[in-house]
Amino acid sequence: MSTFDVVVIGAGAAGEVTAGRLGQRGLSVAIVEERLVGGECSFYACIPSKALLRPVELAAEARRVPGLSVGPLDAAAILARRDEAISHLDDASQLPWLDERGVTLVRGRGRLDGMRRVRVGDTLLEAERAVVIATGSAPLVPDIPGLREVRPWTNIEATTATVVPERLVILGGGVVGVEMATAWQALGSRVTLVHRGSRLLEREEPFAGEQVADALRAAGVDVRFELAAARVDRRDDGVEILLSDGSTLRGDEVLAAFGRVPGTRDVGLETIGVEPAGFLSVDEQLRVPGHDWLYAVGDVNGHALLTHMGKYQGRLVADTILGVDGQRVRLDGGRSPRVIFSEPQVGAVGHTLESALAAGIAARAVDVETGGNAGGSFVGRGAPGTARLVVDEDRGVVCGMTITGAEIAEALHAATIAVVAEVPLTELWHAVPSFPTRSELWLRLLEAYGL
């Protein structure tokens, strides 16, 4: 048995931040990882998807600028750059960060073995202060007849594939579905996206899904709504999907983009009397109820399946373990800042108008064109885009914002500050945007609101 102050199970983004912050402040910490240190985001999600999508964004922007010409994308070069970005699925570059903070890496599958104990193969780790579960989530492959047997792509294969499929069928119109449709259509696949709902990105403002659907269709993606896969079969020439309306689709690959399931399988929770039904329940300090020594951070608690939110939670848990008073999750769940790297991009934080009204907020929304200002003449020229401000009328503060358009991801943080800090609209009026930048959309929004 080896004894540490804290044992963290899972070395993805949330686990790394938790362990690193604790180690940096003098605690002895062990972090357990059975796969790649850095987790899904570094190797199978955020980083490789961005590497695939960035050339698409740049090419689209260059085509909007008079005097520039853009040839076809070089798929082989883009895939090679993607491989470089994910270090060819080698986590050696991640290890110095842990070493510098005095964190001990234990390779293998970690599972609880009673109170404050974690077993990794034949090794037993004892935690004197706390155990943190940071085992993330996994792609959902539902029980559609034949789907699992054809070994579909998930986000893992979709972000690391080395060959461009001639035909790709995507099942699901959420974030993974629209981002991968954007990327692989641009790389040369003929993409068909099938979604059981009536619009894409159903958790976001309706205009966001509509604009992304229009852009995908303009790029050549066959987008089909209100359909579901009834059966999937492997044929000699690829995969055949029987749809709910009786029609069929053929593809060389099929991507299952249905969402995520919690990483609670075989974590040993039963050894402490916890039988998880889905994502792990936690309180405002991210403790598992009934166990003041056990925390769950990141995707595994289901509050916000986003890397930056997992890191945020990791910092809060580390500070709680270190004895910092008053640590509580303030921004969580569907109100978290989020960016979808489609073309156009979608950035949102806080409430949509629908969710604000459902929460009983006296909400009002105002919209302007993202590019309807001088800055829009230079960035995103002529590109579709809408900026929506959702205002809590009773308190006079911003409770949500959604922005769509070309390269708007970096603009979201200003909205996040306004939402988290509950800045009064009358004060935002004095936050003067620089000219000529697209940040003047804030001025346009306040004017539209009537200030």
Side-chain angles (χ1 to χ4, degrees):
M1 182 186 295
S2 298
T3 301
F4 297 86
D5 290 319
V6 180
V7 176
V8 180
I9 307 175
E16 277 190 307
V17 167
T18 308
R21 194 171 181 88
L22 291 168
Q24 201 167 30
R25 284 158 176 75
L27 269 61
S28 60
V29 184
I31 191 166
V32 182
E33 178 55 55
E34 66 172 331
R35 295 189 180 92
L36 295 170
V37 174
E40 190 123 338
C41 179
S42 295
F43 296 102
Y44 302 115
C46 321
I47 300 302
S49 66
K50 182 65 174 172
L52 295 174
L53 288 160
R54 181 58 176 157
V56 183
E57 296 168 0
L58 290 173
E61 180 67 1
R63 293 186 183 104
R64 288 188 282 262
V65 179
L68 296 178
S69 60
V70 181
L73 297 182
D74 184 336
I78 291 169
L79 294 178
R81 168 67 185 116
R82 182 274 320 272
D83 291 343
E84 178 188 350
I86 60 175
S87 302
H88 302 276
L89 300 179
D90 183 345
D91 65 0
S93 63
Q94 303 274 349
L95 306 187
W97 191 90
L98 293 175
D99 291 339
E100 290 165 6
R101 287 155 180 78
V103 177
T104 299
L105 172 63
V106 181
R107 296 278 190 178
R109 182 166 189 82
R111 64 190 315 275
L112 291 166
D113 190 17
M115 302 280 284
R116 294 185 173 87
R117 290 152 65 106
V118 175
R119 182 170 292 280
V120 187
D122 295 331
T123 301
L124 192 60
L125 308 175
E126 183 177 45
E128 293 190 333
R129 291 202 191 185
V131 173
V132 181
I133 298 176
T135 47
S137 63
L140 168 64
V141 180
D143 292 325
I144 297 171
L147 180 59
R148 292 176 183 168
E149 286 74 15
V150 304
R151 300 181 66 183
W153 277 11
T154 64
N155 66 286
I156 294 173
E157 293 79 14
T159 57
T160 59
T162 58
V163 175
V164 178
E166 182 178 342
R167 303 164 299 173
L168 174 62
V169 178
I170 299 176
L171 303 178
V175 177
V176 172
V178 301
E179 287 191 351
M180 291 299 95
T182 302
W184 287 104
Q185 180 75 26
L187 291 174
S189 289
R190 296 201 311 273
V191 177
T192 302
L193 188 153
V194 178
H195 183 52
R196 66 169 59 245
S198 59
R199 62 182 174 89
L200 301 178
L201 306 174
E202 292 172 325
R203 296 182 181 180
E204 305 301 341
E205 297 283 7
F207 66 79
E210 291 165 4
Q211 290 175 10
V212 171
D214 289 344
L216 287 174
R217 286 187 170 122
V221 177
D222 182 0
V223 181
R224 305 188 189 187
F225 290 116
E226 298 182 332
L227 290 171
R231 181 172 183 82
V232 183
D233 293 290
R234 177 71 65 181
R235 304 298 185 196
D236 290 341
D237 61 344
V239 178
E240 181 179 82
I241 300 98
L242 174 66
L243 298 178
S244 52
D245 66 351
S247 63
T248 59
L249 285 173
R250 292 287 183 95
D252 297 287
E253 300 290 350
V254 56
L255 167 58
F258 293 101
R260 311 287 295 179
V261 294
T264 52
R265 181 185 62 82
D266 195 30
V267 178
L269 290 162
E270 69 282 356
T271 69
I272 59 168
V274 175
E275 294 293 337
F279 294 96
L280 271 176
S281 295
V282 292
D283 62 17
E284 287 184 332
Q285 289 186 305
L286 302 167
R287 283 193 179 98
V288 176
H291 302 276
D292 61 2
W293 54 273
L294 183 62
Y295 299 82
V297 297
D299 284 12
V300 73
N301 65 37
H303 279 220
L305 278 64
L306 297 161
T307 297
H308 49 279
M309 295 306 295
K311 294 165 71 173
Y312 163 67
Q313 292 177 9
R315 289 190 292 270
L316 290 178
V317 162
D319 286 351
T320 299
I321 293 170
L322 289 162
V324 178
D325 293 332
Q327 295 303 304
R328 297 287 189 277
V329 171
R330 292 186 57 192
L331 186 61
D332 211 352
R335 296 177 58 228
S336 307
R338 50 212 184 264
V339 176
I340 301 157
F341 291 96
S342 48
E343 179 63 33
Q345 291 180 352
V346 179
V349 62
H351 284 290
T352 63
L353 177 60
E354 181 181 1
S355 71
L357 293 172
I361 297 170
R364 173 186 164 198
V366 292
D367 299 349
V368 300
E369 277 188 69
T370 301
N373 47 63
S377 299
F378 305 104
V379 179
R381 178 178 180 269
T386 302
R388 167 169 288 184
L389 202 64
V390 181
V391 178
D392 182 335
E393 295 272 73
D394 290 339
R395 296 188 300 146
V397 299
V398 179
C399 65
M401 188 169 185
T402 298
I403 318 171
T404 64
E407 301 189 61
I408 54 78
E410 297 294 343
L412 185 64
H413 194 56
T416 303
I417 293 170
V419 169
V420 173
E422 299 183 333
V423 180
L425 265 69
T426 52
E427 292 298 314
L428 284 176
W429 184 254
H430 299 287
V432 181
S434 299
F435 182 89
T437 70
R438 289 190 298 169
S439 293
E440 280 201 313
L441 66 86
W442 282 92
L443 179 60
R444 303 282 87 81
L445 284 165
L446 292 172
E447 289 173 341
Y449 183 73
L451 292 180

